[in-house]
Amino acid sequence: LKSLVNSGSIPDSVAVLAYYSKNRDVKYLDPEKVVVRQIKVSSSFLADSLFLVLEKKPSFFEVFAKNFSINRASVGGLLDPFERGRFNHMGSAAFDLSVGEISSPIENLDKTFSIIRLEKKIEEKPLPLKRVYKRIESLLLKESQENIKKNTFNGYLNNKNVYWGKE
């Protein structure tokens, strides 16, 4: 049986492409993401003070991030793109903003405070085939092997000339 199962051939590119085309919009999507700049400070007083200035002078955001933020100050508070479900309250707030909009201070779970500005929204899009090709190829090979096992066992179990547990 092991030899029979391992005799299955690797799926060809036509089969992989067909599977990808059929499942691309369900299984192979890169989710919507956002890019934000964050000013993260340890005091609610400082967060509130910075926010009051930013309401009048939003152009100061990056300067404040470089001078006051306790993380990522060297890059002006710029975070890598992230999807929904990351960064708790701050992450949720980011998806509610419009591009260029600045949030009011947000209390983080670690008792710090963040002010964020939405830099960019990245729409959901299908992953490129080359990025998922090997994964699909492995899945199709495994399906083929499972079918071989199932059909072989069913052939034995349904064969009236094979006796199980009898001498």
Side-chain angles (χ1 to χ4, degrees), residues 51 54 61 93-94 97 101-106 114-118:
F51 181 68
L54 289 171
F61 195 95
L97 297 174
E101 188 177 0
I102 297 173
S103 75
S104 57
I106 302 162
S114 293
I115 302 170
I116 59 172
R117 180 176 71 194
L118 182 62

Side-chain angles (χ1 to χ4, degrees), residues 33-39 58-63 65 75-82 93-95 97-103 115-122:
K33 295 179 182 178
V34 291
V35 178
V36 301
R37 283 193 189 275
Q38 174 188 40
I39 302 170
S59 61
F60 285 10
F61 195 95
E62 198 170 336
V63 173
V75 291
L78 188 64
L79 299 177
D80 293 331
F82 62 89
F95 280 91
L97 297 174
S98 300
V99 174
E101 188 177 0
I102 297 173
S103 75
I115 302 170
I116 59 172
R117 180 176 71 194
L118 182 62
E119 297 293 316
K120 181 177 171 184
K121 283 193 176 188
I122 303 169

Side-chain angles (χ1 to χ4, degrees), residues 76-91:
L78 188 64
L79 299 177
D80 293 331
F82 62 89
E83 57 197 59
R84 288 186 189 275
R86 300 267 330 266
F87 300 115
N88 299 306
H89 303 302
M90 188 274 290

Side-chain angles (χ1 to χ4, degrees), residues 21-39:
S21 297
K22 182 179 176 186
N23 296 286
R24 175 185 54 220
D25 296 331
V26 178
K27 293 184 178 184
Y28 303 108
L29 285 177
D30 194 12
E32 175 188 26
K33 295 179 182 178
V34 291
V35 178
V36 301
R37 283 193 189 275
Q38 174 188 40
I39 302 170

